[in-house]
Amino acid sequence: MTKRIHHDGGLQADLRALHAQATRRGFLRMLCATVAVPVLAACNDTIGSSDDSEADDSDGGSSGTSTGSCETIPEETAGPYPGDGSNGVNALTLSGIVRSDITSSIDGASGTAEGIPLTIELTLVHANDGCAALAGYAIYLWHCDRDGKYSLYSQGVTDQNYLRGVQETDDEGKVTFTTIFPACYDGRMPHVHFEVYPSTASATSSANKVATSQLTFPVADCNTVYATSGYAQSVTNLAKISFATDNVFSDGTELQMSTVSGSVSAGYKASLQIAIED
């Protein structure tokens, strides 16, 4: 819905209101071409800072970008290995599935996934309420291991349930998962799956979820991680695919590209804001 523009605050108020709904750089350049010199200087400063903060996303960006957008996260497939009761097995009923550290298996299984450490921080917000934080929801997250295998499903790890977990969003809508950087397996760009549930109590079956999507990582960070020991096959697989040819991300990654920081030696952190309409 287009916001109504009020004129009782003068030029500065108009600038702030239009700035929030128009294309940032295009609008400012148009405005600056028609205003007086004192305002023009301020406009130039604003345009310059905008240009500096927006990374080239032709390959997903070198380190990701955080737009603060309240546009709803795209609904994506849960894939063939969800472990949410919709395809053979249900990790959501495992004892201990509500947890932050998902690197090891639980409920009688003892395996641990090897790989470069990764912390994933997700922030859940309301798309129809100005990005207001959604507290008390649950996010179920899962992904493949360093070899491109999914616990509970893939040959050799059907007796494991690592790299799967549920977290409840805090007062700021945040959840944090400690995990490992996932592989790039044949036919897909590197990615992480997640489902959103109204509460941890309801996060027991896919029938209760309110959103399903995937996040991804900047190519430059993937290349750095995959140059390390144990990820050799990911180097080959990543060279054969791109976001443009991926069957999930080919329509764009703006709302699913995580912001990544860190290093191989210290571990990485990937952050993403998730907006839902629920």
Side-chain angles (χ1 to χ4, degrees), residues 154-196:
S154 301
Q155 184 176 3
V157 293
T158 55
D159 60 342
Q160 301 298 329
N161 51 58
Y162 53 53
L163 307 183
R164 299 177 183 275
V166 175
Q167 276 280 285
E168 181 177 310
T169 58
D170 64 15
D171 289 343
E172 297 181 338
K174 295 183 183 297
V175 296
T176 301
F177 293 93
T178 300
T179 184
I180 58 102
F181 208 99
C184 176
Y185 55 83
D186 192 27
R188 282 299 317 276
M189 289 296 287
H191 61 281
V192 171
H193 298 266
F194 59 88
E195 294 174 342
V196 180

Side-chain angles (χ1 to χ4, degrees), residues 197-211:
Y197 289 81
S199 65
T200 53
S202 65
T204 57
S205 167
S206 62
N208 302 323
K209 64 184 180 180
V210 295

Side-chain angles (χ1 to χ4, degrees), residues 2-275:
T2 302
K3 295 181 179 179
R4 182 178 300 275
I5 303 170
H6 299 280
H7 297 279
D8 57 355
L11 176 60
Q12 295 300 323
D14 289 348
L15 179 60
R16 287 192 295 270
L18 287 170
H19 175 288
Q21 62 182 310
T23 299
R24 182 180 176 90
R25 287 175 292 178
F27 167 71
L28 287 176
R29 285 171 180 145
M30 175 191 71
L31 179 63
C32 290
T34 62
V35 298
V37 171
V39 179
L40 180 60
C43 288
N44 285 337
D45 290 341
T46 303
I47 294 172
S49 64
S50 176
D51 287 343
D52 290 342
S53 67
E54 293 182 9
D56 178 4
D57 63 356
S58 59
D59 68 348
S62 61
S63 61
T65 58
S66 178
T67 65
S69 171
C70 283
E71 187 174 347
T72 305
I73 190 82
E75 186 75 8
E76 307 288 8
T77 176
Y81 315 117
D84 59 4
S86 64
N87 188 20
V89 292
N90 191 351
L92 296 175
T93 61
L94 293 172
S95 175
I97 194 62
V98 179
R99 57 186 180 146
S100 179
D101 190 336
I102 63 174
T103 54
S104 297
S105 293
I106 53 176
D107 200 13
S110 58
T112 297
E114 300 294 330
I116 298 298
L118 173 68
T119 298
I120 299 177
E121 182 183 85
L122 305 178
T123 303
L124 188 67
V125 300
H126 202 311
N128 295 333
D129 189 19
C131 281
L134 288 174
Y137 281 66
I139 296 180
Y140 168 45
L141 179 144
W142 73 98
H143 62 81
C144 70
D145 63 19
R146 187 173 62 178
D147 298 319
K149 297 181 177 181
Y150 284 88
S151 66
L152 299 175
Y153 291 92
S154 301
Q155 184 176 3
V157 293
T158 55
D159 60 342
Q160 301 298 329
N161 51 58
Y162 53 53
L163 307 183
R164 299 177 183 275
V166 175
Q167 276 280 285
E168 181 177 310
T169 58
D170 64 15
D171 289 343
E172 297 181 338
K174 295 183 183 297
V175 296
T176 301
F177 293 93
T178 300
T179 184
I180 58 102
F181 208 99
C184 176
Y185 55 83
D186 192 27
R188 282 299 317 276
M189 289 296 287
H191 61 281
V192 171
H193 298 266
F194 59 88
E195 294 174 342
V196 180
Y197 289 81
S199 65
T200 53
S202 65
T204 57
S205 167
S206 62
N208 302 323
K209 64 184 180 180
V210 295
T212 305
S213 197
Q214 300 178 25
L215 66 84
T216 189
F217 312 94
V219 171
D221 295 302
C222 294
N223 283 331
T224 300
V225 171
Y226 296 159
T228 65
S229 176
Y231 285 96
Q233 190 57 49
S234 289
V235 175
T236 301
N237 292 335
L238 186 58
K240 298 188 295 183
I241 194 169
S242 68
F243 287 115
T245 58
D246 185 85
N247 65 358
V248 169
F249 300 123
S250 59
D251 57 352
T253 62
E254 179 183 4
L255 300 175
Q256 296 163 281
M257 177 62 65
S258 62
T259 299
V260 175
S261 61
S263 64
V264 167
S265 59
Y268 286 88
K269 179 180 179 179
S271 303
L272 183 69
Q273 177 180 280
I274 302 167

